[in-house]
């Protein structure tokens, strides 16, 4: 605990932690000052993400990059899950779906591309173990097929009832969760040797002891979740006040802020020439949201939602998920990266962001 | 001949051959007992497929895996061709197209995925010559483009007359058959060294002499064709009685039963660590149906059908063929396989099967 | 200059240069003889293309294949840019878009496929540096996403106004040009060692001295541009007289003739076992049109056009560009080629050409 406080004192970024109580104070005093609460909550999430990054790296330093990456995405995606559950309870299915699609696209394009670019600006060429990337890309591809097929089969068919889409969504959810579980068996039990890191560069900050690291992981994740809820409640009105479209808010802003913690870890990994960690966090997180978080939300909607949620997404979102999956597959086949690969991936994300930003409000 | 009888006596599976005469007896006695005839014909096809498998392996043991694989798909697809010709004569174009699409998808997903899974459960990692896979995947890609372009170009255009689609289908059929013929020249004449097997494991059942093997190949193929016809006549009503949709029957049931013989060979190859054989049968068969069987049916429809058949497929089927081709390309680029690769490929197939199973009857 | 004349005397192909003045004479005497002017201008472009090929090879012999290829596409695409600017001034946006789409598809399929085939008929297997191909394929993929997303997002949405598409087109144009510029920085400044040729075969015609080569490059390019303008003015009516549809003319004929100069260089490279040059010209040219020529036309249309031009293409053209990009990516991953790879790529192009040739006139 002393160690944690010492670290906070030496790292100016962590001084922003003052905004965590500020968010809750702000919410108690002025619950309708949406733009203020929005800014406060974003400022509070940044240092929490940095702490989470250090805690995760401390655990991963002892367990290997792949397990560390898995841990990281699991805990990072708890945030997304908590946010989505809150929105689900209120029946805001459009926001839930937009944030799921945005999280998949943001993790596989923005996080991956920025990692490649940040790493590539420091190192001429970076190598990483592409086996983990191929596994995650394969799982993502499967999830994309599951999201694509219902609308492809039903398109232009007037005979398709909503009940078909709902029953199919439950079936697809079970298939996706089974594939995800089998993927974990494959990577952790039967073929772990495929997923060893290509290189290790253990330099960097001194890792915390296991106990402190695990405690910080748990506590900080809870704090992120609490702040994120304030963020979600304020984001819609704040965005309107700032002139952003709802599609842009759900797909881009919620997804980026929700993944802030994982991004800090991924970018730190890239700057330390440990792209295995970055790619594992980015694609692993995207795969986990597509094959675990989304199916869980479909199944849980039968219990806590006002009505069942299905897996039928807005066609534009399906196309973006498809393009993101193909992009991630193409750039990770070689296991090598340079700065321009990051530029290409980020440009695809920028095309999406620009399109959603300019989209007239009624569409989506 | 003695040898054939001896083998039948020692292999309990072959005792099912009793169902071959039972099918014909059943058809003569009770031609309207569709569900009974359906069950009998499936039970009769299984041992015939096993015999065919052994005969083909005997030939391929002397001619190399690639030629053996080619032989196998040629003879296996005779079944599909005979079934389709019968349906064509009756003008059942929807069933013909569904079984063509289902055979392409079933061969490139179910057969390939199950081979990878069955082989992977026995061997930790399997290697195979990926050149043959890349050739077949390339041909499949070409066929997918040929099926995709007419609907993409004509979509939402009210000015497109059916006569355009029919003339285009004839032109595309000629192009596809030319590409298929040139592919045979490439793999058998000018660059055969690319298609040698990566490894040979000649253990297993003792091969038959060439004469017996060729005779059994021919005779058993005819028997499969005869039984399959009873199967096709009974399947539609039997399926309704069993609660299956027409889309599911044409795409999944007919395609799987029609490919039973090749599947037995492909799975046996995978269990003997000869994945070259399995991949050659699966993708080779899919390519042959797309670039040879389908074009032949289009051209022959001008002679024997009540009206010309075109190459315009139901959009859902085109999307499934496209996804199957992309999946097959992605998983065969490395030339290595483990059990989870099979799971991923099978999951894509399961998503298709589940969707078609749940689809309301009026759609497709 | 003596050297240039000596070369013309020894090369019968160059005797066709007589058609260059014949085109201008014909235009002055009989400006309405469209079919005659069409034939004359095609005959005049062929020898100019041959001269351009030799001049470019002379420069590239001293600067390396990649820079040579870059130079070649830059100068070759000047033709396309000049043609498109003329059409833009007259407000013929459909022709401009068709020729852009056709040039992307023609360069990445016809030029690449014919190079693979011509080279493969002479050499059993050819190798080339795939890094340049991967960079260009990545840029092409980005451009395809930029052309695909607006229509995917806006499809079936009645709320999308044309003003959204126009503003988005300007934004996308700026993004594409930035990506193109960063790609040049990557390939020429920070990572040039990735783009060295795999092999060099400096045999062939004696290179011209740098001064003559550069002078010929400039002069012949201007002549090509002038003749091409006559060609464009006559092609539409000539095509109608010859029974071709407008879609076929814009997409296939204009694009092929416009790229004649680059094709001569690419095919010569393939026949000399310098596939690096061929692939660099084909994909580099396609990428340059998609990421530089098209965006420039969008921006310039605000100045010289009767109305702004946008980046929304006919859906059939978007599908063809998408398929062309995927095909180019798939065939260039290995860095090896044989004749059948060329056949496959050409077949995809033939499917497009056949479809457009048969398309009823009202569509497109």
């Amino acid at each position: 605990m002393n160690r944690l406080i010492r670290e906070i004192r030496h790292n100016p970024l962590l001084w922003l932690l003052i905004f965590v109580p500020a968010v809750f104070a702000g919410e108690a005093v002025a619950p309708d000052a949406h733009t203020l609460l929005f800014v406060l909550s974003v400022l509070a999430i940044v240092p929490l993400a940095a702490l989470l990054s250090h805690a995760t790296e401390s655990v991963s330093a002892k367990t290997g990059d792949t397990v560390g990456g898995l841990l990281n995405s699991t805990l990072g995606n708890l945030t997304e899950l908590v946010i989505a559950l809150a929105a689900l309870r209120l029946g805001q299915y459009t926001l839930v779906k937009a944030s799921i699609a945005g999280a998949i696209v943001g993790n596989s394009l923005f996080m991956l591309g920025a990692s490649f670019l940040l790493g590539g600006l420091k190192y001429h060429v970076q190598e990483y173990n592409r086996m983990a990337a191929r596994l995650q890309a394969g799982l993502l591809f499967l999830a994309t097929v599951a999201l694509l097929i219902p609308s492809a089969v039903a398109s232009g068919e007037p005979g398709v009832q909503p009940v078909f889409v709902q029953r199919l969504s439950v079936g697809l959810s079970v298939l996706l969760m089974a594939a995800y579980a089998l993927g974990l068996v494959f990577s952790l039990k039967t073929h772990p040797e495929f997923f060893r890191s290509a290189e290790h560069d253990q330099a960097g900050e001194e890792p915390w002891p296991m106990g402190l690291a695990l405690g910080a992981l748990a506590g900080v994740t809870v704090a992120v979740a609490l702040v994120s809820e304030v963020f979600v409640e304020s984001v819609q009105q704040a965005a309107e006040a700032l002139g952003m479209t709802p599609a842009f808010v759900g797909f881009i802003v919620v997804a980026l802020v929700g993944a802030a913690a994982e991004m800090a870890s991924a970018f730190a990994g890239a700057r330390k020439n440990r792209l295995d960690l970055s790619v594992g966090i980015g694609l692993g997180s995207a795969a986990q949201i597509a094959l675990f978080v989304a199916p869980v939300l479909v199944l849980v909607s039968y219990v806590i939602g006002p009505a069942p949620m299905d897996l039928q997404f807005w066609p534009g979102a399906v196309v973006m998920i498809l393009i993101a999956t193909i992009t991630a597959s193409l750039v990770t086949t070689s296991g090598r990266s340079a700065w321009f690969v990051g530029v290409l991936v980020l440009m695809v994300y920028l095309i999406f962001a620009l399109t959603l930003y300019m989209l007239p409000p009624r569409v989506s």
Side-chain angles (χ1 to χ4, degrees), chain A residues 45 50 54 76 115 127 142 154 187 236 262 279 282 285 301 349 354:
Chain A
I45 286 174
H54 194 173
S115 295
E127 309 226 334
L142 186 67
S187 61
Q236 209 73 30
E262 298 152 280
V279 174
S285 185
S301 75
Y349 190 72
L354 184 73

Side-chain angles (χ1 to χ4, degrees), chain A residues 291-306:
Chain A
L291 287 99
F292 182 72
V293 173
V296 162
L297 290 170
V298 168
L299 299 181
V300 165
S301 75
Y302 281 83
V303 181
I304 70 164

Side-chain angles (χ1 to χ4, degrees), chain A residues 43 50 82 177 200 202 232 253 322:
Chain A
L43 286 172
V82 170
M177 291 173 77
H200 288 275
Q202 298 290 359
V232 167
V253 179
L322 179 65

